[in-house]
Amino acid sequence: MNRRTDGSPSVLFVDDEEMTRKTFERIASQEFPVLLAGDVAEAKEVLQQHGDEIGVLLTDQRMPGGLGVELLEYARDLHPSIVRMLTTAYSELEDAIAAVNRGEIIRYIEKPWSNIDALLIDLRVAMRFHLLERSNQELMAEKMSAKARGARVERLQVLAALASAQPEPEASLRGLEAMLRNLSDLRSEDDPGSVTEVSELYSGPIEEVFQAITLADRFSKTLAASTGKVWSDLVQVPVTGSAANQPVPESLGEDSAELVARAMAALQAGTDGVQVSFCVEAVDGGIELRFSTGGEGSSLFSSWVNQGSTKESMTAVADLLKLYCIVYPAGGSVSIALNGDLVTDITIIFSDVGNGTNISAQDSDWLEDIVILFS
């Protein structure tokens, strides 16, 4: 069995006669890597192990344990890009013609092979056809991937527009940067490999518009139901921690209750009955707010990152974006904790309550970096 390591597609030849296999290998290995099998069952094992390396399948029709057309049907379903051919004796031409008509093969070759040059020509043509088909599939996948990246860019443009419309746009854009960098941790490590998987990431411009409207509508609403000047007044659930009754930073203005409401809504997004605890601790002259689900949480953010926008994921992203746009102008920072693809905890730190807003410098190319991370 001759296998090259240069990436060239192989020819799989299947025949129950050992001498025929040796003859084919001697002829074809001059130009192609060759894989051999003695029957249908062995050939199926080769296809399962090396199917992605095979460009052409040439099989005999009459073999003990199964017919060649059975193997061709199997190969067509498992690896449709493999070019399939049948080699038959003259008495078996009806089987070959039926296989052509059903689409299992593109050509049949009569046995015995009286013209070796003609056999090689048939193999060359079949391999070129395979390479052309593979190239077309790669181009289509690249095209669909480009559309998916375009859809993501549109989503980012909507987020940037919302952030820049805030009263303190520089701080809000800085918050958007931090939010997106955190969300990039939700990206799946599995790179979509098929055209179908890639195309599912692109939901279309019309759907994107409606989802942008959903995001803007949720973003502009007020979720806060409680008011007060200390943290424990701002939420209906018990607040724990050494600073639970500490006054909220003046830099938050009237947004403290909205901050709490958005954090809790983000963790509960798309879930049923998840309880969120709220703890406020004094840390190094500042305060730390910890919102936790105890290991449960929302998967809508990873859904938005990896699969595209939906109405539910847009609502969740609107809550998280609003949270960042409140925290960063007030001189705070936000981090999210993950359990698999679930956002389970949100931690907000105001490092120096007494000095008010403290916004770090923003990279000039951060949005480009984010597009790369998400694409």
Side-chain angles (χ1 to χ4, degrees), residues 259-260 263 287-291 323 327 332-335 346-350:
L259 178 156
V260 174
I287 54 172
E288 178 182 273
L289 316 178
R290 293 199 303 270
F291 300 86
L323 176 66
V327 170
S333 63
V334 182
S335 62
I346 295 176
T347 302
I348 302 170
I349 296 178
F350 294 95

Side-chain angles (χ1 to χ4, degrees), residues 121-139:
I121 290 173
D122 287 336
L123 291 174
R124 290 184 200 126
V125 171
M127 189 61 75
R128 287 171 186 164
F129 187 86
H130 166 75
L131 292 173
L132 179 61
E133 180 67 17
R134 189 170 71 177
S135 177
N136 286 339
Q137 290 180 358
E138 290 172 352
L139 287 173

Side-chain angles (χ1 to χ4, degrees), residues 60-61 87-94 109-112:
D60 190 23
Q61 169 66 344
T87 177
T88 66
Y90 180 77
S91 60
E92 301 164 350
L93 285 182
E94 289 186 2
I109 303 173
E110 290 185 32
K111 295 173 65 176

Side-chain angles (χ1 to χ4, degrees), residues 40-214:
V40 171
E42 184 181 357
K44 287 182 178 180
E45 291 181 3
V46 174
L47 284 168
Q48 290 173 358
Q49 297 176 13
H50 306 291
D52 293 337
E53 307 168 20
I54 298 171
V56 177
L57 166 60
L58 176 60
T59 180
D60 190 23
Q61 169 66 344
R62 302 287 179 180
M63 295 178 291
L67 297 176
V69 291
E70 174 191 341
L71 174 62
L72 293 167
E73 291 175 354
Y74 177 84
R76 180 190 61 190
D77 295 337
L78 190 65
H79 295 284
S81 65
I82 294 177
V83 177
R84 303 169 298 278
M85 300 194 297
L86 190 67
T87 177
T88 66
Y90 180 77
S91 60
E92 301 164 350
L93 285 182
E94 289 186 2
D95 293 334
I97 293 171
V100 171
N101 290 337
R102 288 198 304 269
E104 278 110 13
I105 65 174
I106 65 168
R107 184 171 178 77
Y108 63 85
I109 303 173
E110 290 185 32
K111 295 173 65 176
W113 307 319
S114 57
N115 189 331
I116 301 304
D117 289 336
L119 174 62
L120 285 173
I121 290 173
D122 287 336
L123 291 174
R124 290 184 200 126
V125 171
M127 189 61 75
R128 287 171 186 164
F129 187 86
H130 166 75
L131 292 173
L132 179 61
E133 180 67 17
R134 189 170 71 177
S135 177
N136 286 339
Q137 290 180 358
E138 290 172 352
L139 287 173
M140 181 60 69
E142 183 178 348
K143 180 179 179 181
M144 297 308 298
S145 179
K147 288 185 176 180
R149 288 194 298 272
R152 293 193 190 105
V153 170
E154 289 178 10
R155 290 197 288 271
L156 295 176
Q157 289 173 338
V158 171
L159 295 179
L162 285 169
S164 62
Q166 295 303 294
E168 296 189 52
E170 180 183 356
S172 295
L173 286 170
R174 182 63 176 173
L176 172 60
E177 174 188 2
M179 169 189 152
L180 293 176
R181 290 193 186 281
N182 276 326
L183 284 178
S184 69
D185 292 337
L186 295 171
R187 287 301 305 277
S188 171
E189 295 180 359
D190 299 326
D191 187 26
S194 71
V195 173
T196 301
E197 289 172 328
V198 173
S199 65
E200 287 174 351
L201 294 175
Y202 182 66
S203 55
I206 295 178
E207 188 175 345
E208 287 287 337
V209 169
F210 282 111
Q211 287 156 1
I213 293 172
T214 298

